[in-house]
Amino acid sequence: MSSEVQAAEAAPVGRSPGQLMWRRFRRDRTGVISACVVLFFFAIGLLAPVISWLYGKDPYTRYGQLESGLLNEYGYPVKPNGGIDGEFWFGLEPGTGRDVFTELLYGIRTSLLIALVVTLLATLTAIVLGIAAGYLGGRWDYFISRLIDLLMAFPQQLFFVAFLPIIATLFVDPREETPTYVKVVSIIIVLWVLGWMTLGRILRGATLSLREREFIEAAKVSGASPWRIIRKELLPNVVSPMLVQATYMLPNFVTTAAALSFLGVGLTEPTPDWGRMFATAAEVYRSDITYMFFPGVSMVIFVVAFNLLGDSVRDAFDPKTVR
């Protein structure tokens, strides 16, 4: 009996594709470090209120205007290096005197929230339309492909700027001040509508290559419905390009949302936002370069880490690729 148990333990154990992918990913030191950095950003964004409470400051109070001796007559921090000290860890914002550390925490929270929601909506839209176009073919493929071509023909940055005020007027009278939540919803809608096409085209191409495979034909012969074939056969086989593309889409949406705020059509005062911090830094960098340092470095680290994570996920799914 003991020999049978030893033989069973010595027998090779099969691994699922997911287990193999996870094993390859864990060996990639760059991917693991990038994943830790990305998780760190999401953690501080999620815990921003807790960190702010422990720190004893918030991103809205104008400390430099309430306490004398923090800002000079020109609105710049009196202390060197942007006012960095034991009380204000990242210094003070020129002009308003707000705390830069909590501004950055809440700015990361805002940007990641918008980018995450847009990425989820864009991915779901690409899955539905891309796989439907590739599998159903015919008129469905024609109309969905033409829609993708039409939307991809738009100069995106220009239309982002042009459409945001139009979307906002659908919710609020132009003569009234636009609430922050309306601005956030408007940004999400515009980025979503104009941001799913690349992934949709990728999924359409992947579905076209899969729909003639033997296992799809076997599912058809067995009487499976198109919905079941898409859900059980096609969708699991396009997870790889979907996840890889999503890891590239999210940092792209972060930078796009920040660019909209930088241009003045996204989030505005007093909402903490990465792009708004860059807009303020662009006005004061000649006199106070320190204010640009923290949001600039944090965004570069986040985008680079997410892009490296996307490369690692791609390599883990398909080890034949060469970075």
Side-chain angles (χ1 to χ4, degrees):
M1 186 65 180
S2 60
S3 61
E4 294 179 358
V5 173
Q6 292 177 355
E9 293 178 350
V13 179
R15 293 185 175 89
S16 66
Q19 291 174 326
L20 292 173
M21 176 266 178
W22 175 242
R23 188 179 182 185
R24 286 192 292 265
F25 180 78
R26 286 188 302 175
R27 294 176 181 171
D28 190 342
R29 184 175 299 177
T30 301
V32 172
I33 294 175
S34 300
C36 292
V37 172
V38 169
L39 289 176
F40 171 76
F41 272 90
F42 276 99
I44 63 174
L46 184 64
L47 299 175
V50 178
I51 299 173
S52 175
W53 175 74
L54 294 174
Y55 176 57
K57 301 287 190 301
D58 65 75
Y60 304 103
T61 303
R62 301 190 173 198
Y63 299 99
Q65 297 177 358
L66 296 176
E67 303 177 24
S68 60
L70 294 179
L71 300 179
N72 61 23
E73 58 183 352
Y74 302 105
Y76 292 99
V78 173
K79 295 183 179 180
N81 300 319
I84 296 175
D85 58 14
E87 185 179 4
F88 300 98
W89 293 355
F90 287 4
L92 295 167
E93 180 182 49
T96 63
R98 286 192 283 248
D99 178 69
V100 177
F101 178 68
T102 53
E103 265 198 296
L104 183 59
L105 290 180
Y106 278 80
I108 292 173
R109 177 187 177 91
T110 303
S111 299
L112 291 185
L113 172 63
I114 292 174
L116 185 61
V117 173
V118 174
T119 301
L120 291 175
L121 291 175
T123 301
L124 290 174
T125 304
I127 289 172
V128 173
L129 297 182
I131 295 180
Y135 178 71
L136 299 177
R139 293 181 178 179
W140 286 99
D141 187 22
Y142 177 81
F143 286 116
I144 294 175
S145 297
R146 298 296 77 75
L147 174 63
I148 292 175
D149 293 338
L150 175 64
L151 293 177
M152 293 189 74
F154 290 163
Q156 287 195 349
Q157 299 298 332
L158 176 61
F159 276 82
F160 287 152
V161 175
F163 283 168
L164 264 178
I166 298 174
I167 298 297
T169 57
L170 299 177
F171 300 97
V172 179
D173 191 303
R175 293 168 294 185
E176 300 178 0
E177 184 177 357
T178 305
T180 300
Y181 77 91
V182 173
K183 294 179 181 178
V184 171
V185 171
S186 301
I187 293 172
I188 289 174
I189 291 175
V190 171
L191 295 183
W192 167 35
V193 171
L194 296 176
W196 62 271
M197 295 83 67
T198 301
L199 179 57
R201 176 169 284 182
I202 291 173
L203 295 181
R204 173 186 173 273
T207 304
L208 285 174
S209 65
L210 289 171
R211 71 178 185 179
E212 304 300 331
R213 300 281 292 273
E214 294 80 2
F215 65 95
I216 300 295
E217 294 296 330
K220 291 179 181 178
V221 172
S222 67
S225 64
W227 166 243
R228 180 175 177 80
I229 293 174
I230 290 175
R231 184 166 53 92
K232 294 291 187 179
E233 306 295 341
L234 290 175
L235 193 55
N237 284 281
V238 297
V239 168
S240 172
M242 181 176 64
L243 285 180
V244 172
Q245 187 63 25
T247 58
Y248 293 127
M249 289 166 60
L250 193 144
N252 183 50
F253 287 136
V254 168
T255 55
T256 302
L260 293 174
S261 297
F262 179 83
L263 295 173
V265 295
L267 297 175
T268 54
E269 294 277 4
T271 306
D273 179 70
W274 244 337
R276 193 193 60 74
M277 294 185 74
F278 281 118
T280 303
E283 298 175 357
V284 303
Y285 76 94
R286 288 187 177 87
S287 301
D288 185 9
I289 190 65
T290 310
Y291 184 70
M292 182 177 283
F293 177 79
F294 293 108
V297 170
S298 61
M299 178 167 284
V300 168
I301 293 175
F302 176 78
V303 173
V304 171
F306 228 112
N307 287 334
L308 292 176
L309 177 62
D311 291 340
S312 298
V313 171
R314 180 199 61 201
D315 295 344
F317 273 110
D318 187 3
K320 297 178 183 178
T321 57
V322 178
R323 186 177 300 182

